[in-house]
Structure formats: C-alpha cells, structure tokens
Amino acid sequence: DGVLGLGYSTQSGTASLLRTLSLPVRESWGIVQPADFKRITPLVFAVAASKDVGELQIGGYDPAAAVTPVRYARMHNVTHKSPYTVRLNKILYGSAELLFFGDGGAPYTTATFDTGSDCILLPDTVRG
C-alpha cells in the first residue's frame, strides 16, 4: 500500500508529484531533471477509471477516455494546508438527501479531495 499525492503544493519539502514534474530542480529531494526536461503544463491531472481498468493522466486529460461529459468543481481554497477543497451544500444518494448544509450559498461546509484517503470524514459543524 502507498499514497500518491497528486495535489500541487508550494511548500518546499512536499512530496507533490506535480511540483516535481514542474520544476527543473527539487533541492530538498535531491532531484535534478535532465537537460531536455519539459515542464508539465497545465499543472492538472485526471484519473480515468472503470471497474476493470484505470489510468492517471498528467498535464490535462484525454476526452476520448471519458464515456460521459467531464465535470469540474471550482476549488474553494480555505487554507494553504488544504488547497483542494470545494463548498459542500448537501450530500445526495440518488435522489435521497443524506446531509444538508445549505442551498448554494451559506451555510456550507467544505469537502477536501484526497486521492489517498480510504474513508469519508463528515463535519460536525456548518461554516458560512
């Protein structure tokens, strides 16, 4: 088992894969890229998965890998420690509303995208 941190971080000692692929030198990790190194742009990633196969796409995404339209979520940067968060107003399972925090504005809570997590953490308070 291992965790692959896919988020970009500006912290110098971070294990961020996107940071490593976007810089010619990572002194804190002892990494010096080859002379013909090409920076990854844009600094985005996509995970395409089905029940049988999956792939990590770095530097964008291949629309041919998607069988449904790609959906984007605007990031809601609450702190520098958790830059990959979105505002969360409710949680639905099909049409059943499991949790409700607000109608699009305040109140809301935040949800953090963490590809290395094996659980879902739910808040005990509402922000907004």
Side-chain angles (χ1 to χ4, degrees):
D1 279 339
V3 174
L4 174 62
L6 298 174
Y8 184 86
S9 175
T10 58
Q11 297 174 357
S12 63
T14 180
S16 168
L17 176 64
L18 286 180
R19 184 171 170 91
T20 300
L21 295 175
S22 70
L23 296 173
V25 176
R26 291 285 314 266
E27 290 182 22
S28 62
W29 286 82
I31 296 172
V32 177
Q33 305 288 10
D36 61 348
F37 171 70
K38 294 182 181 169
R39 293 178 185 217
I40 298 295
T41 57
L43 293 175
V44 298
F45 67 89
V47 177
S50 72
K51 69 176 190 156
D52 300 317
V53 67
E55 85 183 19
L56 171 63
Q57 301 172 1
I58 299 175
Y61 80 97
D62 177 7
V67 295
T68 61
V70 174
R71 298 177 69 183
Y72 294 91
R74 182 185 179 111
M75 295 293 117
H76 177 70
N77 295 333
V78 177
T79 70
H80 71 282
K81 293 181 181 179
S82 59
Y84 292 96
T85 61
V86 294
R87 285 185 177 203
L88 181 64
N89 296 102
K90 59 185 155 186
I91 297 176
L92 301 173
Y93 181 74
S95 61
E97 188 173 278
L98 301 179
L99 293 172
F100 178 79
F101 303 104
D103 283 323
Y108 64 89
T109 190
T110 57
T112 302
F113 286 88
D114 181 357
T115 58
S117 180
D118 59 358
C119 64
I120 297 174
L121 301 175
L122 298 174
D124 59 0
T125 60
V126 174
R127 300 180 190 193

